[in-house]
């Protein structure tokens, strides 16, 4: 009799421990890394601003791709000034628009809920700003729930402030916001490159993981009932 009860407790404890481990990984996993310096262009596609059917000035600036990202559209919006943005010559150069020059904030994301895992960008801070100039990255990503990741970097005013943002462990990035801090503003942000494109609903949703946890509890209950029935026979 005591051995049966101990076995029951062990089964229930194992199921509970599995659920705790799953919940812990959901809460504390941190799969986003940001690196400084040009990480190279492997597995990324250059954002293009030459499609005449897309918006290239105003409250929304759009870009597209002609490689792995063909068919995806990227949107850029700004929360600084009056929100206007524009584009310039060169490699995917994003600039402030009328009433937002220089700009200090921009958010990029793919349209229609699409996601990505890699982003490369080069920030040119406005010349003449006193040091230290700082930028903050806010990455909204999905890992069984969609936590928000923030990190602050100090940058120089002489260009070539390359950053690479990478999602791992099955996470996908929904949007990235670049914000100048303590008066830091941007002359432009250029050489945008994106990789790891994915259509929406191609990653497990939180509800799926809840069902998994419920399944573990159900399995433990079924085993307990089976042991109880054997004991009563």
């Amino acid at each position: 009799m005591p051995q049966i009860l101990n076995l029951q407790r062990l089964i229930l404890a194992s199921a509970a421990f599995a659920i705790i481990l799953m919940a812990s990984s959901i809460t504390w996993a941190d799969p986003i890394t940001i690196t400084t310096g040009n990480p190279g262009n492997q597995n990324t596609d250059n954002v293009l601003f030459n499609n005449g059917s897309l918006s290239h000035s105003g409250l929304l600036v759009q870009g597209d791709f002609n490689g792995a990202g063909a068919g995806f559209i990227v949107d850029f919006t700004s929360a600084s000034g009056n929100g206007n943005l524009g584009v310039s010559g060169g490699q995917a150069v994003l600039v402030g628009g009328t009433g937002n020059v220089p700009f200090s904030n921009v958010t990029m994301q793919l349209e229609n809920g699409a996601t990505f895992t890699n982003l490369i960008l080069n920030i040119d801070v406005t010349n003449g700003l006193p040091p230290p100039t700082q930028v903050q990255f806010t990455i909204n990503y999905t890992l069984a729930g969609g936590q928000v990741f923030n990190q602050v970097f100090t940058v120089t005013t002489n260009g070539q402030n390359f950053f690479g943002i990478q999602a791992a462990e099955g996470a996908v990035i929904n949007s990235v916001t670049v914000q100048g801090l303590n008066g830091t503003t941007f002359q432009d942000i250029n050489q945008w490159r994106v990789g790891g494109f994915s259509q929406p609903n191609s990653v497990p949703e939180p509800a799926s993981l809840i069902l998994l946890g419920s399944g573990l509890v159900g399995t433990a209950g079924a085993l307990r009932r089976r042991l109880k029935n054997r004991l009563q026979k």
Side-chain angles (χ1 to χ4, degrees):
M1 180 73 163
Q3 292 181 347
I4 297 295
L5 291 175
N6 288 337
L7 180 58
Q8 291 176 349
R9 290 171 181 166
L10 179 61
I11 292 171
L12 290 173
S14 299
F17 181 66
I19 295 171
I20 290 171
L21 283 179
M22 181 179 66
S24 175
S25 65
I26 292 172
T27 304
W28 299 110
D30 189 8
I32 304 296
T33 56
I34 304 178
T35 56
T36 58
N38 192 342
N41 297 330
Q42 293 87 348
N43 303 316
T44 60
D45 200 359
N46 194 45
V47 176
L48 302 174
F49 290 141
N50 55 13
N51 186 338
S53 66
L54 301 179
S55 173
H56 293 148
S57 64
L59 297 178
L60 173 67
V61 165
Q62 299 171 301
D64 59 359
F65 310 87
N66 63 4
F72 290 88
I73 303 296
V74 57
D75 290 343
F76 296 89
T77 56
S78 177
S80 62
N82 62 4
N84 281 333
L85 292 171
V87 301
S88 181
Q91 298 185 47
V93 181
L94 185 75
V95 298
T98 303
N100 194 22
V101 179
F103 64 111
S104 61
N105 172 281
V106 65
T107 295
M108 65 80 61
Q109 61 187 40
L110 299 179
E111 288 194 347
N112 301 318
T115 59
F116 55 98
T117 59
N118 300 69
L119 176 66
I120 300 171
L121 66 159
N122 181 11
I123 299 174
D124 288 336
V125 176
T126 304
N127 288 325
L129 292 176
T133 50
Q134 293 182 314
V135 296
Q136 174 179 275
F137 293 95
T138 301
I139 294 90
N140 182 282
Y141 62 93
T142 297
L143 176 65
Q147 301 89 333
V148 176
F149 180 93
N150 297 280
Q151 193 159 343
V152 177
F153 288 89
T154 299
V155 298
T156 65
T157 58
N158 58 0
Q160 300 303 311
N161 290 297
F162 271 101
F163 294 93
I165 300 172
Q166 172 80 47
E169 301 175 15
V172 292
I173 300 173
N174 306 306
S175 66
V176 174
T177 297
V178 186
Q179 174 69 52
L181 300 181
N182 302 320
T184 299
T185 56
F186 310 133
Q187 175 179 318
D188 62 62
I189 303 179
N190 59 79
Q191 299 188 59
W192 296 86
R193 298 186 65 91
V194 183
F197 299 89
S198 180
Q199 295 289 352
N201 302 323
S202 60
V203 296
E205 295 185 0
S208 301
L209 292 173
I210 292 173
L211 289 174
L212 175 61
S214 301
L216 288 173
V217 174
T219 300
L223 288 172
R224 183 178 180 181
R225 288 192 297 272
R226 185 177 300 175
L227 287 171
K228 184 178 179 179
N229 292 335
R230 288 182 179 177
L231 184 63
Q232 290 174 345
K233 290 181 178 179

